[in-house]
Amino acid sequence: TLLSSLGLGTTLTFASSHWLLAWMGLEINTLAIIPLMAQHHHPRAVEATTKYFLTQATAAAMILFASTTNAWVTGAWDMNGLSDPIASAMILAALALKIGLAPMHFWMPEVMQGLDLLTGLVLSTWQKLAPLALIIQTAQATDPLLLTVLGLMSTLIGGWGGLNQTQLRKILAYSSIAHMGWMVIVLQYAPQLTLIALLTYIFMTSAAFLTLKASSATKIGTLATIWSKSPILATTTALVLLSLGGLPPLTGFMPKWLILQELAKQSLPLVATVMALAALLSLYFYLRLCYAMTLTISPNTTTSTTPWRVQATQASFPLALATVMTLGLLPIT
């Protein structure tokens, strides 16, 4: 029931051109993922669920308020009829809060840290779809400066925040914030690039999360012991992380390349430069993970308990598919 409601909420938002229906889809979506997040009854999971619920409810209320304001001014509930500047700015702020764009990103790492890896995967991929669809639909009515500032701040904060982390879920949350920034920055100039970036981001994040799930790793320290258990998985994981960082022979380079090219074409060289430098910040912590995984041999006297090598219960096909997509899709550019 919960999973189908999750799908239904997002689909409702996709299909709607009326603000109330879009709001309803987002609301169904939020209510469906709440029990999925809290299902382990761990105090941290419950805390993360509460934080998530409060932020999403705030954002939904803001969307409702802004669309009502817009309908009050213009008399139309249509999504394309966002003529009131205050309403459009408020809706953008609410949707940014929903997907965790900086400076409304503070809930994201905290919530990710409390969840298990599969729910975290749903949170960082599926939950982004509906708000992003709304952002794409309303982007033409919003102030370009606002979107640019959101995008730049998100890439910078997504790079800075992840530098000092040892928890993998928080690192992935910051990487998610940075990728969302890349998507938003190019939205007004070439929305199709936003979709490409979203698609590649979903592949790469799925590969990363499924790999961590296969090795049940949540800290950098655990990554150092993977190579002895499954060397091939360690190799592909390192490549997946480099792809997330956006290095050339891998898929992750494609959206960054096209977005920087588009920004340069729109004569925004300064913005493009800042974005490229912010990508270096993200690259640093992916490299740190790669270093811990492939270039360090874990000492014999580990302080952490070494997990037993158990028979994998997880289906390896999604992981293999996501990994192949992450490593080999660059030629389609």
Side-chain angles (χ1 to χ4, degrees):
T1 311
L2 293 173
L3 284 173
S4 58
S5 303
L6 198 64
L8 175 78
T10 305
T11 321
L12 256 181
T13 310
F14 281 168
S16 64
S17 59
H18 187 289
W19 274 116
L20 265 182
L21 200 59
W23 169 78
M24 210 160 64
L26 291 172
E27 208 55 12
I28 292 173
N29 197 354
T30 307
L31 290 177
I33 200 174
I34 295 274
L36 290 174
M37 291 167 124
Q39 67 186 342
H40 294 293
H41 300 300
H42 190 282
R44 281 196 186 153
V46 176
E47 182 189 349
T49 312
T50 313
K51 285 177 181 169
Y52 184 75
F53 173 72
L54 290 173
T55 51
Q56 300 297 307
T58 312
M62 270 179 75
I63 290 174
L64 197 56
F65 176 61
S67 52
T68 317
T69 313
N70 185 56
W72 191 31
V73 173
T74 61
W77 283 91
D78 231 29
M79 275 191 194
N80 325 355
L82 262 187
S83 51
D84 190 24
I86 301 174
S88 58
M90 269 186 68
I91 279 182
L92 185 66
L95 291 170
L97 175 63
K98 267 211 177 286
I99 60 172
L101 282 169
M104 285 78 91
H105 67 284
F106 291 97
W107 59 273
M108 179 97 189
E110 300 287 328
V111 169
M112 282 288 264
Q113 186 51 35
L115 306 177
D116 69 312
L117 291 165
L118 284 181
T119 325
L121 171 63
V122 172
L123 179 69
S124 55
T125 54
W126 184 255
Q127 291 300 95
K128 305 284 190 224
L129 295 179
L132 254 175
L134 292 183
I135 290 181
I136 290 173
Q137 279 177 340
T138 56
Q140 301 310 321
T142 33
D143 186 16
L145 180 66
L146 197 57
L147 280 171
T148 311
V149 166
L150 277 177
L152 281 176
M153 277 194 74
S154 298
T155 40
L156 283 168
I157 286 178
W160 259 317
L163 290 185
N164 223 2
Q165 293 295 340
T166 57
Q167 300 286 345
L168 297 178
R169 284 166 293 188
K170 282 194 178 174
I171 285 183
L172 282 167
Y174 279 113
S175 114
S176 166
I177 294 168
H179 279 278
M180 289 293 139
W182 278 92
M183 286 173 218
V184 167
I185 197 103
V186 78
L187 186 51
Q188 285 196 317
Y189 311 111
Q192 64 273 23
L193 287 187
T194 302
L195 291 177
I196 287 185
L198 177 65
L199 212 60
T200 50
Y201 161 75
I202 286 179
F203 283 141
M204 297 187 293
T205 313
S206 309
F209 269 106
L210 291 171
T211 312
L212 296 181
K213 179 85 176 64
S215 52
S216 62
T218 54
K219 290 201 280 297
I220 293 189
T222 327
L223 281 183
T225 59
I226 287 184
W227 65 271
S228 58
K229 284 190 267 182
S230 39
I232 299 180
L233 190 64
T235 317
T236 54
T237 313
L239 287 173
V240 163
L241 287 167
L242 291 178
S243 181
L244 266 166
L247 286 189
L250 309 165
T251 313
F253 178 55
M254 175 173 62
K256 288 191 164 49
W257 175 24
L258 295 174
I259 287 173
L260 287 176
Q261 185 185 358
E262 181 63 34
L263 287 173
K265 217 187 291 181
Q266 299 286 348
S267 65
L268 296 166
L270 194 61
V271 174
T273 310
V274 177
M275 294 293 283
L277 292 176
L280 284 179
L281 285 170
S282 303
L283 186 61
Y284 173 75
F285 59 78
Y286 297 125
L287 279 175
R288 233 175 88 217
L289 293 184
C290 290
Y291 179 75
M293 284 189 62
T294 53
L295 297 176
T296 55
I297 289 187
S298 183
N300 294 328
T301 54
T302 45
T303 49
S304 63
T305 53
T306 310
W308 287 88
R309 178 165 192 180
V310 288
Q311 203 59 41
T313 53
Q314 172 194 358
S316 55
F317 177 68
L319 169 59
L321 185 69
T323 307
V324 167
M325 294 289 202
T326 306
L327 302 184
L329 277 191
L330 190 68
I332 68 170
T333 40

